[in-house]
Amino acid sequence: MAILKSMNSLPPSWDLYRSFLAVIREGSLSAAARALGLTQPTLARHIAALEEAVGGSLFLRSPRGLDPTDAALALKPQAEALDMAASSLWRTASGWGAEVRGTVRVTASEVVGARILPAILAGLRARHPALEIELVLSNAVDDLLQRGADVAVRMVEPEQQALLVRRVGVIALGMHAHRAYLDRHGVPQHPDDLARHSLIGFDRETPDIRAMLQRAPDVALPRFALRSDSHLAQLSAIEAGFGIGICQVPLARRNPDLRRVLADAFDMPMGMWVAMHEDLRSTPRCRAVFDGLAAGLREHVSAEQDG
């Protein structure tokens, strides 16, 4: 199916595609303009110029705002690839030289990124004031080879080739509940007691959950009273006293109101790794972040063992 009528001989500039991608993401010219720090008339000119260049309409007005056409949806993946490449290019250019400066894109799971990394990154920033961090919270196992991120913290060992991987250590997962919940419903003494409790768990399997389940293939999954794909939401529900759920033991120890239950029956150690593309090992800013995260996370893991 022909999506575009014609193409001019000279390709449009990246600015047009950046504006196009912002409109798709934000849904309107005004919101896209605010996101990019441009004026709405400028965004409108960019979209018009790109439509003229590709020879077809890219957006249709609707009560919801601007809806992308089939042509726009066909261009979106390539525009996102351009956006990723441009970000990677800028991170490389901004960090050139021996000084630790410029932007490093770090990806980690929600809980690790929101509850553990901020303190480590604050220390890195104090040591390297010219360092800038882009923190992406995701439970997906990103492919570092595509340079979607510079450094990744993962609870599943990265298997891609051409990666520099450092194993931080082993961190324990345990079942926990707020003391107020346990005061109301009692402390389970045997795994069978969990059938009478409100359990917090996952909706769909993520890579780290699959890795955990593979280590306990005979464990039957219970019926969860609260299901969420967000590990951060699960942790928040535990802290709010909704019920019993799984979280990292060192994190639970930070909250004096959380109690571990059935420690003898449920003890699930999980590995933790820091990884980056091996081509970045000689880039000062990436190496500093890689080493800093590995050291900080090792302290986090050892705090559990010392406790």
Side-chain angles (χ1 to χ4, degrees):
M1 180 180 67
I3 295 178
L4 305 178
K5 297 177 182 177
S6 63
M7 296 289 286
N8 293 334
S9 57
L10 294 178
S13 71
W14 158 239
D15 286 340
L16 304 189
Y17 287 111
R18 185 180 65 159
S19 296
F20 158 77
L21 195 55
V23 173
I24 283 188
R25 290 169 172 169
E26 302 296 333
S28 70
L29 290 175
S30 58
R34 289 192 297 271
L36 295 179
L38 301 175
T39 65
Q40 186 170 334
T42 299
L43 259 293
R45 287 195 298 271
H46 285 183
I47 298 302
L50 186 59
E51 289 179 330
E52 181 179 357
V54 302
S57 297
L58 297 174
F59 295 97
L60 298 175
R61 293 192 177 277
S62 74
R64 298 183 298 274
L66 292 179
D67 289 340
T69 63
D70 289 343
L73 294 177
L75 290 175
K76 182 186 176 192
Q78 286 77 17
E80 290 175 332
L82 276 174
D83 185 39
M84 185 178 297
S87 297
S88 179
L89 176 65
W90 172 243
R91 293 197 300 270
T92 300
S94 65
W96 191 257
E99 183 183 0
V100 177
R101 63 178 300 111
T103 303
V104 178
R105 189 174 178 86
V106 176
T107 180
S109 67
E110 289 181 322
V111 172
V112 172
R115 296 297 184 91
I116 301 173
L117 292 193
I120 300 174
L121 295 175
L124 272 169
R125 172 73 177 182
R127 294 192 295 274
H128 307 291
L131 182 66
E132 298 176 4
I133 301 293
E134 292 179 359
L135 181 57
V136 181
L137 304 187
S138 171
N139 291 325
V141 181
D142 293 326
D143 187 352
L144 293 173
L145 300 181
Q146 301 300 320
R147 301 299 177 88
D150 298 315
V151 182
V153 179
R154 287 291 173 254
M155 305 298 287
V156 178
E157 184 175 9
E159 297 179 350
Q160 298 101 328
Q161 300 298 318
L163 293 183
L164 178 63
V165 179
R166 184 175 300 172
R167 191 172 189 266
V168 172
V170 176
I171 195 163
L173 302 179
M175 303 191 74
H176 294 80
H178 193 280
R179 61 177 179 80
Y181 172 87
L182 296 175
D183 289 343
R184 294 194 305 270
H185 300 280
V187 179
Q189 302 298 321
H190 188 274
D192 292 341
D193 297 339
L194 293 176
R196 299 188 294 273
H197 284 271
S198 298
L199 302 183
I200 301 163
F202 59 90
D203 190 13
R204 291 173 294 180
E205 290 184 13
T206 57
D208 52 341
I209 289 176
R210 282 195 295 272
M212 181 179 68
L213 294 178
Q214 288 171 0
R215 302 182 66 175
D218 298 329
V219 175
L221 292 179
R223 184 174 181 84
F224 297 123
L226 187 151
R227 296 182 294 275
S228 175
D229 291 333
S230 168
H231 296 179
L232 193 57
Q234 294 174 27
L235 177 58
S236 297
I238 296 172
E239 294 171 329
F242 184 96
I244 299 174
I246 298 172
C247 72
Q248 295 182 20
V249 172
L251 275 181
R253 285 182 176 154
R254 295 182 182 181
N255 188 336
D257 288 327
L258 294 188
R259 301 285 187 269
R260 187 173 183 183
V261 300
L262 299 175
D264 294 335
F266 185 92
D267 184 19
M268 183 68 70
M270 295 287 288
M272 181 179 285
W273 292 264
V274 181
M276 71 176 177
H277 197 288
E278 63 181 9
D279 289 347
L280 298 176
R281 70 168 70 223
S282 59
T283 304
R285 72 190 189 286
C286 293
R287 189 66 199 224
V289 171
F290 179 88
D291 291 339
L293 290 180
L297 290 170
R298 192 173 291 113
E299 289 183 12
H300 174 71
V301 171
S302 65
E304 173 204 348
Q305 298 168 347
D306 294 340

